[in-house]
Amino acid sequence: MTVPGRADARHNHARVLEAAREAFAEEGPSATLDTVARRAGVGAGTVYRRFPSKEALLAAVVNDRLDRLVDELAAPASGDPGAAFFAVFERAVSQVALNKALCESMSSATGISPGVRDRFLAALAPLLANAQRSGAVRPDVTAADVTGLIAGCAAMEHAAATPGRSTAIVLDGLRTSVTKSNETRCAECGTPIAPTATGRPARYCGNACRQRAHRRRHTPA
């Protein structure tokens, strides 16, 4: 038999965490506990009883989101080690960039528990090692380097005039010279384009970049 009081407490705890995820994702660490309480539809005292400080609540949210990201990175990837590594890098950047608190926490490592940080590095390490063995990634790069670059790219994407361009430039720096020389890149954002078996090489990575380039060419200065 479920005890009503305990069921309500669990429900409130879940509401507080969900409200905190939304608030910190949108506003970053500056979001207040009062804001979280309003979003959750509970009193500020309910939040304080479960989390003694805003830092404790932020740490819980950041570590939970980073744990989920680790699970996503561990999902089966492409059979090409280089393509798998770069796809994971870009996916991680996009996920971190969408969450302001996670982006700022990864940049400073504030609030991230050692266990979660170790799991993140452990998920990246085999992907990086396989890509390096295949000759797709420079041999002097470490998993810790990659973590810092993901955080940096996510921060740059917030203010980027052309989404994806900063990340593409960083990824180009991770590639070996052989990989770079054989690549075709999008004329708009710089993203690598997979070669086609027939026909002319593509100039753009997709319709969005093609349309942006078209609008710029046909917009009066």
Side-chain angles (χ1 to χ4, degrees):
M1 177 178 172
T2 302
V3 179
R6 291 181 182 174
D8 288 344
R10 286 195 297 270
H11 180 62
N12 284 341
H13 185 84
R15 287 168 64 186
V16 168
L17 271 180
E18 183 58 32
R21 289 188 194 102
E22 295 172 358
F24 289 134
E26 293 173 14
E27 302 176 31
S30 62
T32 65
L33 288 184
D34 286 340
T35 298
V36 172
R38 281 196 302 272
R39 282 177 177 259
V42 300
T46 299
V47 179
Y48 279 104
R49 278 195 298 275
R50 284 157 178 76
F51 300 95
S53 66
K54 184 174 75 171
E55 290 71 26
L57 179 55
L58 175 61
V61 169
V62 166
N63 284 291
D64 175 70
R65 187 64 194 91
L66 194 53
D67 243 341
R68 294 186 190 188
L69 180 58
V70 170
D71 291 336
E72 291 171 22
L73 298 188
S78 160
D80 179 339
F85 170 78
F86 291 119
V88 162
F89 188 104
E90 291 182 283
R91 190 160 78 246
V93 168
S94 66
Q95 290 295 314
V96 174
L98 289 174
N99 189 309
K100 191 173 181 181
L102 182 55
C103 184
E104 293 185 22
S105 293
M106 278 195 70
S107 297
S108 64
T110 301
I112 298 178
S113 74
V116 173
R117 184 171 58 248
D118 290 346
R119 276 196 69 209
F120 190 77
L121 289 171
L124 279 176
L127 289 166
L128 174 61
N130 288 339
Q132 287 172 322
R133 279 194 293 268
S134 75
V137 176
R138 314 166 30 155
D140 59 336
V141 177
T142 67
D145 293 333
V146 174
T147 301
L149 290 172
I150 287 172
C153 285
M156 288 189 290
E157 291 297 338
H158 280 300
T162 305
R165 182 169 175 77
S166 297
T167 301
I169 291 171
V170 170
L171 289 181
D172 198 46
L174 288 171
R175 290 182 171 88
T176 61
S177 58
V178 174
T179 307
K180 294 175 195 176
S181 65
N182 292 331
E183 275 187 341
T184 300
R185 304 185 73 83
C186 175
E188 179 66 17
C189 72
T191 297
I193 301 173
T196 56
T198 60
R200 294 191 315 172
R203 289 197 64 205
Y204 304 103
C205 61
N207 287 331
C209 280
R210 187 178 296 108
Q211 290 168 3
R212 266 199 303 269
H214 177 80
R215 284 196 299 271
R216 190 170 58 253
R217 285 197 304 269
H218 294 84
T219 300

